């Protein structure tokens, strides 16, 4: 079904403002499409020549030599057919360093738009000054930002005589990705973060928890006086929603999204940073197939995804993916698993129905890991599927294992070795667990489908013996999901679950329940042991038709 969309202030706005409900939300455990490139960040724009233009920091880009703190590149091709890249310009030819003794240049956003009406896109690149050097505040402060312009598709660049943003205000600038050539809009929208591009580990500036929104005419992007900022909202009489109030005074700005959650409150072994926020440099893209704006961001060890019907909101958390703390494994490892930073989902690679996207993100610690480097322009598949189909009739015969259905997807808390396939690979001789987690909250192991299924039995096969954890400290409960809401259901478990290390002595636990029709099922409970984790070899879902 095509989303019902209107155009407000030059951008599409979904008429349906209710939360986007997903039946399948899947993020690959590691980058699966790699390129011969070097660098990080990679904000990108889809231009009128059908190429993706992207800038990287601290690398050589699509070249083998000549390291620079900023490099502009051109990428053609697709993730499935292959990507090709070339380096266009770098260093002083791209952007100024306003305080080169203490700060270097980092790209944060890019947009391609025909603002001068000559029938050819210009490129605009947002660049911030980020603290460098050997002190404790390195990478922890971004006081200044500007926007550079290219009229020849990335070969040469110009910039204003002064920075556009100073005093740590709106200094991580991320242009909204409306699609090819800015979606044809005469307005360019940009999201901004104050102080730093992510959690400031040294606390030289406050950790970012607020995301702000601005706009500017496409023919005036480098004119600071032309920028307007969301200063509030007012009722929109046309459809009962809210629309933004704009102000040219940046001091009047109010956040369109605020998230004060903290992730991983204690440091991982050998890594002092902890207690991360998740408002950070990433990207916001219009997904026409889903009729939603998606903000992809991160919190050191997790990816966080938000959705909204309009650029100004209301923004809601859509999905979280937890990779656990280090060690991670590189993308060419047999057990690849790694998160990364500055995640973006370029509109160039979104499927027509909006359900398949490709996420770009980088990982530097360590830059060269077992199984290859993730410090490059690399992509991983993301599947956000609202699903189709109504409740099917109750089957008249027992089913095969529904967890093994071709369209089944797994639900995991985090997996130590990245082997989420263990849940439904049909084997009981390989296991995974949720170790390397934050040490709080519950674990869940589950299966979801893009349409409802009938089932009345769940079989949980735990992992191997371990003295540090692997079992549930509370008897695992069974929950099913209907219309986006999880419900606990009564179940009889055989044998009874002991909630201590002896739980790992059993080959399987069979949960029998009244027949359910739902699009997902999971077992959930508190992880046990000194390291607080649970283990699994297999999760099976059956319809026996006995109740």
């Amino acid at each position: 079904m095509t989303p019902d969309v209107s155009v407000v202030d030059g951008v599409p706005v979904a008429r349906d403002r209710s939360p986007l409900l997903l039946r399948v939300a899947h993020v690959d455990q590691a980058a699966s499409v790699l390129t011969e490139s070097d660098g990080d960040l990679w904000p990108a724009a889809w231009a009128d020549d059908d190429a993706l233009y992207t800038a990287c920091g601290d690398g050589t880009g699509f070249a083998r030599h000549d390291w620079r703190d900023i490099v502009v590149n051109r990428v053609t091709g697709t993730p499935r057919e292959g990507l090709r890249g070339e380096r266009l310009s770098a260093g002083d030819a791209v952007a100024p360093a306003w305080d080169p003794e203490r700060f270097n240049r980092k790209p944060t956003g890019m947009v391609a738009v025909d603002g001068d009406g000559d029938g050819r896109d210009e490129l605009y690149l947002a660049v911030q000054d980020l603290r460098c050097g050997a002190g404790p505040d390195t990478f922890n402060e971004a006081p200044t930002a500007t926007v550079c312009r290219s009229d020849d598709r990335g070969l040469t660049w110009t910039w204003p005589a002064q920075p556009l943003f100073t005093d740590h205000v709106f200094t991580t600038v991320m242009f909204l990705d409306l699609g090819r050539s800015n979606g044809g809009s005469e307005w360019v929208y940009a999201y901004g973060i104050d102080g730093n591009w992510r959690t400031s580990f040294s606390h030289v500036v406050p950790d970012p928890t607020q995301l702000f929104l601005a706009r500017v005419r496409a023919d005036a992007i480098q004119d600071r006086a032309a920028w307007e900022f969301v200063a509030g909202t007012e009722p929109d009489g046309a459809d009962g929603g809210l629309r933004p109030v704009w102000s040219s005074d940046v001091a009047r700005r109010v956040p369109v999204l605020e998230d004060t959650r903290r992730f991983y409150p204690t440091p991982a072994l050998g890594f002092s940073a902890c207690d991360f926020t998740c408002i950070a440099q990433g990207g916001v893209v219009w997904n026409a197939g889903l009729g939603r704006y998606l903000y992809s961001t991160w919190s050191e060890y997790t990816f966080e995804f938000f959705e909204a019907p309009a650029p100004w909101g209301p923004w809601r958390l859509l999905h979280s993916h937890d990779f656990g703390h280090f060690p991670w494994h590189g993308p060419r490892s047999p057990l690849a698993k790694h998160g990364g930073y500055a995640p973006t989902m370029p509109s160039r690679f979104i499927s027509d129905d909006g359900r398949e996207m490709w996420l770009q993100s980088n990982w530097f610690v360590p830059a060269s890991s077992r199984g290859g480097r993730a410090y490059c322009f690399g992509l991983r598949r993301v599947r956000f599927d609202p699903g189709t189909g109504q409740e099917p009739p109750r089957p008249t015969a027992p089913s095969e294992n529904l967890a093994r259905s071709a369209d089944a997807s797994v639900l995991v808390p985090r997996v130590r070795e990245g082997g989420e396939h263990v849940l439904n690979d049909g084997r009981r001789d390989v296991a995974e667990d949720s170790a390397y987690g934050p040490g709080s909250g519950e674990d869940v192991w589950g299966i979801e489908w893009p349409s409802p299924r009938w089932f009345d039995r769940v079989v949980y096969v735990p992992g191997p013996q371990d003295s540090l954890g692997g079992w549930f400290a509370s008897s695992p409960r069974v929950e099913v999901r209907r219309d986006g809401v999880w419900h606990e259901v009564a179940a009889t478990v055989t044998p009874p679950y002991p909630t201590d290390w002896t739980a790992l002595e059993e080959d399987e636990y069979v949960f029998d329940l009244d027949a359910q029709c739902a699009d997902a099922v999971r077992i959930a409970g508190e992880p046990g042991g000194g390291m607080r984790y649970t283990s699994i070899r297999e999760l099976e879902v059956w319809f026996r038709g006995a109740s």
Side-chain angles (χ1 to χ4, degrees), residues 17 22 89 108 135 153 165 175 212 217 223 319 344 348 377 380 397 416 423 455 522 524 530 541:
R17 306 197 178 198
L22 300 176
S89 53
T108 61
R153 293 185 172 139
F165 300 102
F175 289 111
F212 302 95
R217 292 280 182 183
D223 180 3
H319 180 64
T344 60
R348 175 70 177 83
F377 186 84
R380 72 185 74 200
R416 184 200 299 238
L423 269 71
F455 52 87
R522 67 188 185 187
V541 184

Side-chain angles (χ1 to χ4, degrees), residues 206-456:
D207 293 340
T209 59
Q210 298 177 322
L211 185 70
F212 302 95
L213 176 61
R215 69 177 185 180
V216 63
R217 292 280 182 183
D219 60 357
I221 296 174
Q222 290 182 308
D223 180 3
R224 173 64 183 80
W227 284 62
E228 299 175 329
F229 305 85
V230 171
T233 56
E234 61 184 8
D236 183 356
D239 59 7
L242 296 175
R243 64 184 303 154
V245 175
W246 298 96
S247 173
S248 60
D249 183 0
V250 69
R252 292 188 56 201
R253 73 197 184 287
V254 298
V256 294
L257 170 62
E258 184 168 8
D259 192 321
T260 59
R261 290 178 298 159
R262 293 282 177 166
F263 299 79
Y264 285 79
T266 57
L269 183 65
F271 191 66
S272 61
C274 60
D275 204 29
F276 313 108
T277 57
C278 73
I279 300 299
Q281 180 178 338
V284 181
V285 62
W286 167 244
N287 184 314
L290 297 180
R292 282 298 186 274
Y293 292 88
L294 302 177
Y295 171 40
S296 51
T297 182
W298 58 292
S299 69
E300 191 68 29
Y301 299 131
T302 73
F303 286 160
E304 305 294 317
F305 300 89
F306 296 84
E307 61 90 10
W312 42 88
W315 285 96
R316 308 176 184 92
L317 181 64
L318 178 67
H319 180 64
S320 299
H321 188 102
D322 188 348
F323 295 95
H325 61 66
F326 305 140
W328 291 343
H329 303 316
R332 292 190 176 94
S333 168
L335 298 171
K337 184 198 74 167
H338 64 86
Y341 50 88
T344 60
M345 296 188 292
S347 59
R348 175 70 177 83
F349 305 137
I350 297 177
S351 64
D352 290 342
D353 65 5
R355 300 180 185 195
E356 182 174 89
M357 291 147 278
W358 291 88
L359 182 142
Q360 178 285 135
S361 187
N362 319 108
W363 163 36
F364 187 77
V365 185
S368 182
S369 68
R370 181 168 73 88
R373 304 176 72 240
Y375 192 69
C376 65
F377 186 84
L379 302 172
R380 72 185 74 200
R381 191 174 66 93
V382 173
R383 182 78 181 176
F384 288 161
D385 192 347
T388 57
Q390 303 299 314
E391 179 177 310
R394 180 167 168 162
T396 58
S399 72
E400 299 293 328
N401 178 9
L402 297 170
R404 300 269 294 149
S405 301
D407 59 355
S409 185
V410 300
L411 295 168
V412 297
R414 73 202 59 81
V415 282
R416 184 200 299 238
E417 302 292 352
E420 60 183 32
H421 63 278
V422 164
L423 269 71
N424 62 345
D425 62 1
R427 299 174 56 180
R428 295 191 176 191
D429 60 337
V430 289
E432 261 291 4
D433 61 53
S434 62
Y436 304 151
S440 61
E442 293 190 324
D443 274 4
V444 297
W445 303 104
I447 303 291
E448 59 186 1
W449 306 272
S451 59
R453 310 293 155 96
W454 282 92
F455 52 87
D456 55 19

Side-chain angles (χ1 to χ4, degrees), residues 9 26 48 84 91 152 183-184 187 191 246 258 270 295 299 368 390 421 443 446 462 476 515 526 531:
D9 292 342
H26 177 85
D48 57 347
R84 299 167 298 279
D152 55 8
W187 286 98
Y191 294 86
W246 298 96
E258 184 168 8
Y295 171 40
S299 69
S368 182
Q390 303 299 314
H421 63 278
D443 274 4
E526 285 288 330
M531 289 185 62

Side-chain angles (χ1 to χ4, degrees), residues 43-44 108-112 124-127 146-148 173-178 182 188-191 216 221 227 282-285:
T108 61
M110 185 178 278
V111 66
Y124 290 91
L125 176 63
V127 181
T146 195
V147 176
C148 305
V173 180
M174 300 169 286
F175 289 111
L176 170 59
D177 183 352
L178 288 170
N182 194 45
V188 170
Y189 286 73
Y191 294 86
V216 63
I221 296 174
W227 284 62
V284 181
V285 62

Side-chain angles (χ1 to χ4, degrees), residues 444-516:
V444 297
W445 303 104
I447 303 291
E448 59 186 1
W449 306 272
S451 59
R453 310 293 155 96
W454 282 92
F455 52 87
D456 55 19
R457 170 171 285 182
V458 176
V459 179
Y460 164 53
V461 182
Q465 188 88 7
D466 198 323
S467 61
L468 297 176
W471 62 89
F472 285 96
S474 60
S475 185
R477 62 187 184 276
V478 178
E479 298 178 335
V480 301
R481 188 181 65 196
R482 301 187 188 93
D483 298 324
V485 179
W486 288 98
H487 307 272
E488 183 177 357
V489 295
T492 301
V493 57
T494 307
Y497 193 89
T499 70
D500 59 24
W501 67 270
T502 62
L504 304 179
E505 301 268 303
E506 298 293 339
D507 291 333
E508 67 177 24
Y509 293 92
V510 178
F511 295 82
D512 288 319
L513 42 144
D514 290 340
Q516 306 289 322

